[in-house]
mmCIF file of all heavy atoms in Angstrom:
data_model
loop_
_atom_site.group_PDB
_atom_site.id
_atom_site.type_symbol
_atom_site.label_atom_id
_atom_site.label_comp_id
_atom_site.label_asym_id
_atom_site.label_seq_id
_atom_site.Cartn_x
_atom_site.Cartn_y
_atom_site.Cartn_z
ATOM 1 N N ASN A 507 -28.173 9.704 21.340
ATOM 2 C CA ASN A 507 -28.225 9.440 22.787
ATOM 3 C C ASN A 507 -28.018 7.972 23.080
ATOM 4 O O ASN A 507 -27.458 7.619 24.152
ATOM 5 C CB ASN A 507 -29.583 9.906 23.360
ATOM 6 C CG ASN A 507 -29.641 11.434 23.406
ATOM 7 O OD1 ASN A 507 -28.605 12.126 23.334
ATOM 8 N ND2 ASN A 507 -30.865 11.972 23.481
ATOM 9 N N ALA A 508 -28.418 7.112 22.160
ATOM 10 C CA ALA A 508 -28.240 5.689 22.360
ATOM 11 C C ALA A 508 -26.800 5.250 22.005
ATOM 12 O O ALA A 508 -26.459 4.058 22.155
ATOM 13 C CB ALA A 508 -29.253 4.886 21.593
ATOM 14 N N GLY A 509 -26.013 6.187 21.449
ATOM 15 C CA GLY A 509 -24.649 5.872 21.174
ATOM 16 C C GLY A 509 -24.181 5.842 19.725
ATOM 17 O O GLY A 509 -23.032 5.602 19.424
ATOM 18 N N LEU A 510 -25.136 6.109 18.838
ATOM 19 C CA LEU A 510 -24.741 6.159 17.411
ATOM 20 C C LEU A 510 -23.922 7.411 17.165
ATOM 21 O O LEU A 510 -24.331 8.504 17.574
ATOM 22 C CB LEU A 510 -25.967 6.129 16.506
ATOM 23 C CG LEU A 510 -25.684 5.927 15.035
ATOM 24 C CD1 LEU A 510 -25.341 4.468 14.723
ATOM 25 C CD2 LEU A 510 -26.923 6.318 14.178
ATOM 26 N N ILE A 511 -22.795 7.302 16.485
ATOM 27 C CA ILE A 511 -21.940 8.444 16.185
ATOM 28 C C ILE A 511 -22.297 8.993 14.791
ATOM 29 O O ILE A 511 -22.298 8.189 13.826
ATOM 30 C CB ILE A 511 -20.480 8.059 16.226
ATOM 31 C CG1 ILE A 511 -20.096 7.292 17.488
ATOM 32 C CG2 ILE A 511 -19.585 9.281 16.013
ATOM 33 C CD1 ILE A 511 -20.124 8.104 18.751
ATOM 34 N N ILE A 512 -22.596 10.258 14.712
ATOM 35 C CA ILE A 512 -22.754 10.860 13.386
ATOM 36 C C ILE A 512 -21.368 11.394 13.015
ATOM 37 O O ILE A 512 -20.935 12.416 13.552
ATOM 38 C CB ILE A 512 -23.769 12.031 13.435
ATOM 39 C CG1 ILE A 512 -25.095 11.550 14.010
ATOM 40 C CG2 ILE A 512 -23.963 12.612 12.009
ATOM 41 C CD1 ILE A 512 -25.857 10.480 13.246
ATOM 42 N N ALA A 513 -20.646 10.664 12.160
ATOM 43 C CA ALA A 513 -19.243 11.000 11.921
ATOM 44 C C ALA A 513 -19.055 11.877 10.689
ATOM 45 O O ALA A 513 -17.924 12.346 10.450
ATOM 46 C CB ALA A 513 -18.438 9.737 11.766
ATOM 47 N N GLY A 514 -20.114 12.110 9.956
ATOM 48 C CA GLY A 514 -19.988 12.957 8.752
ATOM 49 C C GLY A 514 -21.341 13.457 8.299
ATOM 50 O O GLY A 514 -22.323 12.729 8.373
ATOM 51 N N THR A 515 -21.350 14.726 7.917
ATOM 52 C CA THR A 515 -22.598 15.331 7.368
ATOM 53 C C THR A 515 -22.259 16.188 6.186
ATOM 54 O O THR A 515 -21.101 16.538 5.978
ATOM 55 C CB THR A 515 -23.348 16.208 8.434
ATOM 56 O OG1 THR A 515 -22.496 17.332 8.690
ATOM 57 C CG2 THR A 515 -23.686 15.464 9.684
ATOM 58 N N THR A 516 -23.304 16.632 5.430
ATOM 59 C CA THR A 516 -23.064 17.650 4.434
ATOM 60 C C THR A 516 -22.616 18.907 5.174
ATOM 61 O O THR A 516 -22.897 19.040 6.373
ATOM 62 C CB THR A 516 -24.379 17.890 3.645
ATOM 63 O OG1 THR A 516 -25.435 18.001 4.560
ATOM 64 C CG2 THR A 516 -24.661 16.800 2.639
ATOM 65 N N PRO A 517 -21.910 19.822 4.449
ATOM 66 C CA PRO A 517 -21.359 21.014 5.155
ATOM 67 C C PRO A 517 -22.413 21.794 5.954
ATOM 68 O O PRO A 517 -22.111 22.401 6.963
ATOM 69 C CB PRO A 517 -20.801 21.849 4.013
ATOM 70 C CG PRO A 517 -20.391 20.828 2.965
ATOM 71 C CD PRO A 517 -21.451 19.731 3.071
ATOM 72 N N ASP A 518 -23.693 21.784 5.490
ATOM 73 C CA ASP A 518 -24.735 22.489 6.250
ATOM 74 C C ASP A 518 -25.241 21.672 7.445
ATOM 75 O O ASP A 518 -26.103 22.098 8.176
ATOM 76 C CB ASP A 518 -25.906 22.830 5.333
ATOM 77 C CG ASP A 518 -26.582 21.586 4.759
ATOM 78 O OD1 ASP A 518 -26.212 20.455 5.068
ATOM 79 O OD2 ASP A 518 -27.513 21.771 3.934
ATOM 80 N N GLY A 519 -24.687 20.502 7.666
ATOM 81 C CA GLY A 519 -25.067 19.684 8.766
ATOM 82 C C GLY A 519 -26.367 18.936 8.600
ATOM 83 O O GLY A 519 -26.810 18.157 9.456
ATOM 84 N N ASN A 520 -27.049 19.165 7.503
ATOM 85 C CA ASN A 520 -28.415 18.634 7.327
ATOM 86 C C ASN A 520 -28.482 17.169 7.008
ATOM 87 O O ASN A 520 -29.221 16.407 7.641
ATOM 88 C CB ASN A 520 -29.113 19.444 6.208
ATOM 89 C CG ASN A 520 -30.567 19.065 6.128
ATOM 90 O OD1 ASN A 520 -31.210 18.792 7.138
ATOM 91 N ND2 ASN A 520 -31.051 18.994 4.890
ATOM 92 N N LEU A 521 -27.661 16.699 6.049
ATOM 93 C CA LEU A 521 -27.792 15.293 5.654
ATOM 94 C C LEU A 521 -26.689 14.459 6.325
ATOM 95 O O LEU A 521 -25.517 14.811 6.261
ATOM 96 C CB LEU A 521 -27.663 15.151 4.124
ATOM 97 C CG LEU A 521 -28.702 15.921 3.296
ATOM 98 C CD1 LEU A 521 -28.381 15.842 1.822
ATOM 99 C CD2 LEU A 521 -30.106 15.355 3.569
ATOM 100 N N VAL A 522 -27.115 13.375 6.930
ATOM 101 C CA VAL A 522 -26.166 12.510 7.600
ATOM 102 C C VAL A 522 -25.454 11.639 6.561
ATOM 103 O O VAL A 522 -26.144 10.964 5.791
ATOM 104 C CB VAL A 522 -26.860 11.627 8.668
ATOM 105 C CG1 VAL A 522 -25.880 10.581 9.216
ATOM 106 C CG2 VAL A 522 -27.376 12.481 9.774
ATOM 107 N N GLU A 523 -24.168 11.702 6.510
ATOM 108 C CA GLU A 523 -23.381 10.948 5.506
ATOM 109 C C GLU A 523 -22.658 9.738 6.060
ATOM 110 O O GLU A 523 -22.441 8.772 5.343
ATOM 111 C CB GLU A 523 -22.360 11.891 4.831
ATOM 112 C CG GLU A 523 -22.907 13.128 4.158
ATOM 113 C CD GLU A 523 -23.561 12.820 2.801
ATOM 114 O OE1 GLU A 523 -24.326 11.850 2.721
ATOM 115 O OE2 GLU A 523 -23.323 13.593 1.858
ATOM 116 N N ILE A 524 -22.315 9.816 7.386
ATOM 117 C CA ILE A 524 -21.560 8.702 7.955
ATOM 118 C C ILE A 524 -22.068 8.403 9.363
ATOM 119 O O ILE A 524 -22.255 9.337 10.151
ATOM 120 C CB ILE A 524 -20.045 9.028 8.041
ATOM 121 C CG1 ILE A 524 -19.532 9.538 6.712
ATOM 122 C CG2 ILE A 524 -19.260 7.786 8.529
ATOM 123 C CD1 ILE A 524 -18.055 9.935 6.741
ATOM 124 N N VAL A 525 -22.327 7.161 9.623
ATOM 125 C CA VAL A 525 -22.601 6.739 11.020
ATOM 126 C C VAL A 525 -21.542 5.768 11.472
ATOM 127 O O VAL A 525 -20.991 5.001 10.660
ATOM 128 C CB VAL A 525 -23.999 6.116 11.173
ATOM 129 C CG1 VAL A 525 -25.063 7.097 10.833
ATOM 130 C CG2 VAL A 525 -24.149 4.841 10.373
ATOM 131 N N GLU A 526 -21.230 5.771 12.744
ATOM 132 C CA GLU A 526 -20.259 4.848 13.313
ATOM 133 C C GLU A 526 -20.788 4.332 14.675
ATOM 134 O O GLU A 526 -21.686 4.915 15.222
ATOM 135 C CB GLU A 526 -18.943 5.536 13.525
ATOM 136 C CG GLU A 526 -18.289 6.043 12.202
ATOM 137 C CD GLU A 526 -16.910 6.668 12.382
ATOM 138 O OE1 GLU A 526 -16.425 6.687 13.523
ATOM 139 O OE2 GLU A 526 -16.343 7.071 11.388
ATOM 140 N N VAL A 527 -20.196 3.214 15.092
ATOM 141 C CA VAL A 527 -20.552 2.676 16.378
ATOM 142 C C VAL A 527 -19.278 2.658 17.229
ATOM 143 O O VAL A 527 -18.210 2.240 16.779
ATOM 144 C CB VAL A 527 -21.104 1.214 16.210
ATOM 145 C CG1 VAL A 527 -21.194 0.501 17.503
ATOM 146 C CG2 VAL A 527 -22.535 1.322 15.547
#
Side-chain angles (χ1 to χ4, degrees):
N507 289 341
L510 190 75
I511 310 290
I512 307 296
T515 64
T516 44
D518 62 3
N520 187 36
L521 301 173
V522 171
E523 302 283 45
I524 309 177
V525 297
E526 296 183 1
V527 167

